[in-house]
């Protein structure tokens, strides 16, 4: 017998409160993405040209890291926008962000939506969920630490394994199933693509290879300095570690992989961390500090999540279970996760 939800969210009332916030604004998408993407790559170039190990170079690398991190996380919006909408924006995102950072959108779009399916969320089939609160505490810091090696994997995946898989056809299937997704857990296996998905991902895969091969040739010929690769690696690690920390705070991660959660349980397993309006978006950009609100209404675009959270907080009753998803800060969310993991591991 399915487990009955312990609490009930006033969904009809909540939807009434936010019903005018579901329309994405193309101008905001374009202005926000282009500003931070161009700022990031400008800072990247300045870091390459700066005197090595100078304060200016380090500062430029940080600006590049934070700016490109925000630009990268627009892929989350791409996965939720209605199919067929924002076609030019999707292509430009890949050209200016996805391909040069070796994270083309096919690695995420088509995978992330499984994370929001009620029958999948929090189970062994969820590509973005691992029950850290039920595991040994060391698994928590280990997760962001593994990101130190992740850029090497992406370089090998697109620069070496992708072309080899076209020479040796039996490699294509395993490469797709095991290495064509951005999954938090190690057990996720991506289903084989349909014809359209196969064609689109193939184009993106080739473009990512072309970007990498071109950069490598230019460095070998001395037309680009090798420190381009080092600074690129720093920025890539920065983005991946920051996102790993954000994702650790985005959910309570306490669901056993064999238990299917109710919708209410899913919302309370997610968090809203409003924090400081200037500092919190640095580590949780593009609306992701309101992750519980996002899970409550996945159709609300990122630029309206702040307003949605404000309205729901103001208009829902003080005893509403919606408030149980609130956290004070990134560190309080991580501390709670560590505390639960420590208690559970001692049982």
């Amino acid at each position: 017998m399915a487990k009955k939800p312990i609490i009930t969210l006033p969904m009809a009332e909540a939807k009434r409160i936010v019903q005018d916030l579901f329309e994405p604004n193309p101008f905001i998408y374009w202005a926000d993405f282009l500003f931070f993407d161009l700022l990031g790559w400008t800072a990247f170039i300045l870091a390459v040209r700066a005197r090595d190990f100078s304060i200016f170079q380090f500062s430029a690398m940080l600006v590049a890291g934070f700016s490109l991190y925000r630009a990268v996380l627009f892929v989350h919006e791409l996965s939720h926008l209605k199919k067929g909408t924002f076609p030019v924006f999707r292509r430009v995102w890949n050209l200016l962000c996805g391909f040069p950072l070796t994270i083309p959108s096919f690695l995420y779009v088509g995978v992330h939506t499984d994370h929001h399916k009620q029958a999948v969320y929090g189970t062994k089939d969820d590509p973005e969920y691992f029950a850290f609160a039920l595991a040994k505490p060391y698994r928590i810091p280990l997760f962001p630490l593994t990101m130190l090696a992740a850029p090497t994997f992406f370089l090998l995946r697109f620069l070496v394994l992708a072309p080899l898989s076209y020479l040796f056809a039996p490699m294509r299937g395993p490469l797709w199933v095991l290495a064509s997704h951005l999954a938090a857990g190690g057990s996720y296996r991506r289903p084989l693509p349909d014809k359209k998905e196969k064609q689109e991902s193939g184009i993106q895969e080739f473009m990512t290879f072309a970007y990498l091969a071109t950069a490598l040739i230019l460095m070998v010929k001395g037309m680009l300095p090798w420190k381009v690769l080092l600074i690129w690696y720093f920025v890539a690690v920065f983005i991946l570690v920051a996102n790993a920390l954000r994702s650790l705070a985005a959910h309570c991660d306490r669901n056993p992989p064999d238990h299917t959660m109710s919708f209410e349980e899913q919302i309370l397993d997610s968090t809203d961390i409003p924090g400081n309006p200037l500092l919190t978006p640095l580590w949780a950009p593009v609306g992701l500090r309101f992750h519980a609100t996002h899970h409550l209404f996945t159709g609300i675009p990122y630029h309206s999540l702040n307003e949605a959270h404000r309205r729901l907080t103001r208009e829902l009753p003080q005893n509403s279970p919606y408030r149980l998803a609130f956290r004070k800060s990134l560190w309080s969310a991580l501390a709670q996760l560590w505390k639960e993991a420590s208690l559970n591991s001692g049982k």
Side-chain angles (χ1 to χ4, degrees):
M1 182 179 294
K3 184 178 179 180
K4 294 181 180 180
I6 300 173
I7 52 89
T8 301
L9 289 164
M11 288 302 299
E13 177 65 9
K15 190 168 185 179
R16 180 195 64 78
I17 293 170
V18 301
Q19 61 185 347
D20 61 325
L21 299 179
F22 286 82
E23 190 66 30
N25 187 320
F27 176 79
I28 294 177
Y29 273 76
W30 278 107
D32 193 344
F33 169 70
L34 287 177
F35 176 81
F36 283 99
D37 186 77
L38 295 176
L39 175 62
W41 289 118
T42 300
F44 183 93
I45 293 170
L46 291 175
V48 172
R49 295 173 63 88
R51 180 168 56 86
D52 291 341
F53 306 111
S54 64
I55 294 177
F56 180 80
Q57 184 183 57
F58 182 70
S59 300
M61 289 165 67
L62 283 180
V63 172
F66 278 114
S67 299
L68 291 174
Y69 174 43
R70 183 177 182 88
V72 162
L73 283 188
F74 270 89
V75 73
H76 180 257
E77 289 296 303
L78 296 184
S79 70
H80 285 288
L81 290 169
K82 292 180 180 178
K83 289 185 178 181
T85 63
F86 288 73
V88 178
F89 185 85
R90 295 173 190 272
R91 295 188 181 96
V92 171
W93 183 89
N94 272 310
L95 289 169
L96 298 183
C97 192
F99 299 152
L101 288 169
T102 67
I103 45 172
S105 59
F106 82 87
L107 295 179
Y108 194 74
V109 176
V111 175
H112 176 67
T113 49
D114 286 346
H115 175 60
H116 286 275
K117 294 177 180 177
Q118 186 171 337
V120 174
Y121 177 90
T123 68
K124 60 181 177 59
D125 297 318
D126 188 337
E128 297 179 30
Y129 196 96
F130 181 81
F132 286 103
L134 303 180
K136 297 292 184 181
Y138 77 86
R139 295 295 296 269
I140 297 172
L142 183 63
F143 178 51
L145 284 174
T146 58
M147 298 300 113
L148 298 177
T152 299
F153 167 78
F154 288 121
L155 287 173
L156 291 173
R157 189 255 182 262
F158 287 103
L159 194 58
V160 179
L161 297 180
L164 279 177
S165 70
Y166 284 98
L167 295 175
F168 303 99
M171 288 180 59
R172 289 300 299 166
L175 187 64
W176 177 268
V177 172
L178 300 174
S180 294
H181 53 78
L182 300 173
S187 62
Y188 180 73
R189 301 293 183 266
R190 187 171 188 176
L192 292 174
D194 57 28
K195 184 177 180 181
K196 183 178 181 181
E197 191 177 28
K198 184 177 181 180
Q199 181 181 33
E200 186 171 334
S201 63
I203 293 171
Q204 293 184 26
E205 189 176 59
F206 171 77
M207 289 298 297
T208 305
F209 166 78
Y211 271 57
L212 293 175
T214 300
L216 180 61
I217 291 170
L218 291 176
M219 284 187 284
V220 169
K221 288 183 172 292
M223 300 173 70
L224 280 179
W226 282 99
K227 69 177 178 178
V228 167
L229 179 60
L230 296 177
I231 293 174
W232 177 91
Y233 205 95
F234 170 88
V235 170
V237 165
F238 183 95
I239 292 169
L240 292 167
V241 170
N243 190 59
L245 292 172
R246 179 203 62 78
S247 64
L248 284 171
H251 297 290
C252 298
D253 293 327
R254 58 169 75 105
N255 187 61
D258 58 347
H259 171 59
T260 301
M261 305 174 79
S262 69
F263 179 72
E264 288 84 357
E265 288 175 317
Q266 292 180 33
I267 301 306
L268 295 187
D269 189 62
S270 305
T271 65
D272 271 2
I273 310 177
N276 182 291
L278 295 178
L279 297 179
T280 305
L282 290 177
W283 64 263
V286 196
L288 287 171
R289 58 192 174 121
F290 303 109
H291 208 65
T293 303
H294 167 65
H295 272 264
L296 187 62
F297 295 111
T298 57
I300 295 180
Y302 83 97
H303 54 75
S304 295
L305 283 173
N306 188 7
E307 176 63 15
H309 173 84
R310 188 185 68 82
R311 290 187 193 179
L312 292 167
T313 303
R314 182 187 64 199
E315 299 186 35
L316 290 177
Q318 286 295 319
N319 62 352
S320 171
Y322 172 68
R323 299 173 187 275
L324 297 175
F326 297 2
R327 299 292 184 274
K328 290 182 179 180
S329 67
L330 169 66
W331 303 117
S332 66
L334 294 177
Q336 179 64 27
L337 184 62
W338 180 272
K339 180 181 179 180
E340 291 190 25
S342 300
L343 290 173
N344 289 322
S345 66
K347 290 181 180 179

